[in-house]
Amino acid sequence: MRNIPTNFRPSAAKSSLPTKTELPLDLTGPHVTPGASAAHRLYQALCEMIVSGLVKPGEPLPPSRTLATQTGFRRNAVVIAYERLIADGFAEATVGSGTFVAARIPARTAEPNKPRVIVETPGQGAFALGCTHIDERAVQRFRAFVGRRMRNFGSEHLHYGDPRGSRELRAAIADHLLSARGLRCDPDQIMLTSGTLHALRIVLSAILRAGDQVWCEDPGYPAARKTIAHCGYRAVPVPVDEHGMRVAKGRLAGPAARAAYVTPSHQFPLGVQMSMPRRLELLDWARQAGAFVLEDDYDSEFRYDGAPLMSLAGIDRLQRVIYLGTFAKTLFPGLRIGYCALPERLIADVTAARAALDRFPGTLMEGAVADMLNSGAFAANLKRVRKLYRDARDVLAETLEAASGGALSVPVPSQGLHLVARFDPAVDLAVAARAKQAAGAEGWLLADTYSRARPLPGFVLGFSGHAVPQLVASAKRLARESRAALRSRKRSARQT
């Protein structure tokens, strides 16, 4: 039988140390896990007592029977707790002498001030960007597809798969891109990601070196700029006009750039479409510089007037353009499925980069999304929500124009899920900031999308996924506060 060290009261001949028969144990404090076993709770209380200095190094612990009587626990629980103390170095045992607090124990440091962690999450009120609506019929179809896939749970979920994702969904995306965006590509050129920024991170890591320059639109998408900078690349702001990114300015600002990030079909935030001469100029630069263009086809599926524009990647035939897309807006953000279409020369490098970053995408939802695309449910949902978004766009633009009394100019975008409401360019930027805060409005300040170019005063307001009555009420409130902020600014100017 195993000889487990337990305490007994030593004779004076063996030890002159006093024996503790009553320990200052706290069995209910925050250091004790509620509902844990008696042995575990006792172990935690003993550790706290030792580390806090209530007993000193080298002092004897009471015999297991004595401690069992004090605590009301079974002796076996005390023995287990003592064994754990010994194993973890908090106590030492000598057969025939007893169990003692270890000669050296971890010193307790002063409790540091707990930093307050503030995690900003996007708002969901009126004008918040990134909100969507999915038709109830589409939800029902998606739920059915997910259920069917789960009932036929396959072996593909039981091992690590292709870093690019399932071929079934990649083939469905390739068909969709051909019909919707004029982009012809093989499923092998498609890679599934968790979204546009994830794709951006993977692709840049495969084609760039640390410190390389990347052209970015100015104004442009702040999240993309942050991702580029966070990955160790240099985001070079390139001005945007009514024709899109000014390529000649890019050549001057970043002559060594190896990549350009653009939103050519619906520029964020201004909503302009890159003209054909400017598109060809950008592609010429990419070929001459040996660079690549990352085309974020931002909200391209939501075009309200005329046929969809051909993508930049479709014009280029995936030679120097990398196409980035997502289902966040066309289905819902919580799906976390995006994709990129790659030039053939980059497939191996980008696939290796993906495998090194997070191995491969999740598999559970891939089949259901493929079913949505192949069954026509995806296209039907787009058709229905596009009408809802068009109506929301029109109501928001009309309300802002009318309620602001001309203080705000609101061009109606022909595409996308947001609009820009602008003050006169001479108006101080603080006017827009004051009005937005007073109105409690979501959305962005237009000035926050600028990097180096002179910012314009105004707002970037989302209209998708919001109830029309909420949009109307919020638009009236923002217009009212905009007028008030303008009056206040004029009074201050007169007084000075």
Side-chain angles (χ1 to χ4, degrees):
M1 181 176 177
R2 190 161 57 100
N3 190 2
I4 299 174
T6 58
N7 282 46
F8 67 99
R9 190 175 300 277
S11 66
K14 287 187 176 180
S15 173
S16 60
L17 291 172
T19 303
K20 282 190 176 289
T21 56
E22 289 289 332
L23 291 181
L25 288 174
D26 180 1
L27 291 164
T28 59
H31 51 276
V32 175
T33 305
S37 67
H40 186 64
R41 284 182 285 134
L42 180 57
Y43 165 78
Q44 290 176 317
L46 288 165
C47 284
E48 176 68 15
M49 177 192 70
I50 292 170
V51 173
S52 62
L54 295 177
V55 290
K56 305 300 180 185
E59 287 190 4
L61 295 174
S64 56
R65 286 191 178 87
T66 303
L67 188 56
T69 302
Q70 177 188 336
T71 59
F73 294 145
R74 293 179 180 274
R75 179 170 176 259
N76 188 52
V78 178
V79 171
I80 293 172
Y82 274 2
E83 287 184 323
R84 284 195 62 186
L85 285 178
I86 295 165
D88 291 346
F90 289 101
E92 299 168 345
T94 303
V95 176
S97 295
T99 305
F100 302 85
V101 177
R104 296 189 63 190
I105 58 174
R108 165 162 284 192
T109 57
E111 285 289 330
N113 292 328
K114 242 183 181 179
R116 187 182 176 194
V117 179
I118 300 175
V119 178
E120 291 188 11
T121 56
Q124 298 178 5
F127 308 147
L129 280 70
C131 298
T132 61
H133 173 85
I134 183 168
D135 186 79
E136 182 57 33
R137 283 165 285 189
V139 173
Q140 292 174 359
R141 296 293 300 277
F142 187 73
R143 187 181 293 121
F145 291 141
V146 171
R148 190 186 73 182
R149 293 283 176 163
M150 289 301 294
R151 287 191 295 274
N152 298 311
F153 191 90
S155 62
E156 68 273 13
H157 305 303
L158 304 178
H159 54 76
Y160 294 104
D162 190 322
R164 295 168 298 175
S166 77
R167 185 174 178 84
E168 181 184 15
L169 180 51
R170 289 188 283 117
I173 290 172
D175 290 342
H176 167 69
L177 291 178
L178 179 60
S179 61
R181 307 298 293 123
L183 174 56
R184 185 181 300 277
C185 62
D186 189 271
D188 286 344
Q189 294 175 267
I190 303 290
M191 173 176 288
L192 303 181
T193 68
S194 64
T196 299
L197 297 180
H198 185 219
L200 186 63
R201 189 182 188 96
I202 294 170
V203 169
L204 290 179
S205 71
I207 66 175
L208 299 184
R209 296 184 297 270
D212 278 349
Q213 296 177 335
V214 181
W215 290 359
C216 296
E217 296 164 325
D218 188 15
Y221 188 36
R225 282 202 304 262
K226 289 178 183 176
T227 296
I228 290 167
H230 187 266
C231 292
Y233 312 116
R234 293 174 56 197
V236 178
V238 180
V240 172
D241 61 17
E242 66 273 18
H243 301 295
M245 176 181 276
R246 300 177 64 181
V247 178
K249 293 288 187 182
R251 289 179 182 270
L252 293 173
R258 299 282 310 284
Y261 168 82
V262 293
T263 53
S265 295
H266 179 245
Q267 199 275 333
F268 185 92
L270 299 181
V272 300
Q273 298 163 11
M274 184 178 281
S275 66
M276 185 57 72
R278 197 66 64 77
R279 290 176 182 230
L280 296 177
E281 187 181 2
L282 181 61
L283 294 177
D284 285 343
W285 164 78
R287 283 190 289 269
Q288 293 163 9
F292 290 95
V293 177
L294 293 104
E295 177 185 15
D296 184 348
D297 210 16
Y298 192 84
D299 293 349
S300 63
E301 295 90 352
F302 299 99
R303 184 167 176 82
Y304 308 111
D305 305 305
L309 301 173
M310 178 177 282
S311 66
L312 188 63
I315 299 170
D316 176 64
R317 298 184 180 178
L318 281 181
Q319 297 300 306
R320 285 283 164 187
V321 178
I322 299 159
Y323 181 94
L324 311 177
T326 176
F327 292 106
K329 309 289 181 59
T330 52
L331 287 174
F332 50 92
L335 193 59
R336 301 310 299 146
I337 295 181
Y339 53 90
C340 57
L342 304 164
E344 288 185 350
R345 73 185 82 182
L346 294 181
I347 293 174
D349 288 344
V350 175
T351 301
R354 172 58 184 273
L357 183 65
D358 61 354
R359 301 194 74 166
F360 77 116
T363 58
L364 279 176
M365 292 293 120
E366 290 177 344
V369 176
D371 290 339
M372 289 289 287
L373 287 164
N374 293 330
S375 68
F378 177 81
N381 177 67
L382 269 185
K383 184 177 180 180
R384 288 190 288 264
V385 299
R386 193 180 289 126
K387 182 180 185 308
L388 290 177
Y389 296 162
R390 182 193 295 114
D391 293 344
R393 174 203 65 175
D394 294 343
V395 167
L396 177 56
E398 291 169 6
T399 304
L400 283 171
E401 287 269 17
S404 69
L408 291 172
S409 170
V410 190
V412 179
S414 61
Q415 185 169 308
L417 303 179
H418 75 271
L419 54 75
V420 173
R422 308 179 197 175
F423 291 97
D424 184 278
V427 170
D428 192 284
L429 297 178
V431 170
R434 188 177 300 118
K436 182 176 182 295
Q437 182 178 19
E442 300 283 356
W444 294 358
L445 291 172
L446 181 56
D448 289 344
T449 66
Y450 284 80
S451 180
R452 189 176 297 166
R454 181 180 180 273
L456 295 173
F459 313 102
V460 182
L461 307 174
F463 53 77
S464 62
H466 303 297
V468 169
Q470 183 190 24
L471 285 175
V472 170
S474 298
K476 289 179 178 178
R477 187 162 55 250
L478 181 60
R480 182 175 64 249
E481 295 300 341
S482 295
R483 295 198 314 270
L486 274 174
R487 288 195 299 268
S488 175
R489 186 65 183 176
K490 289 176 182 177
R491 282 196 300 270
S492 298
R494 284 196 299 268
Q495 291 170 0
T496 57

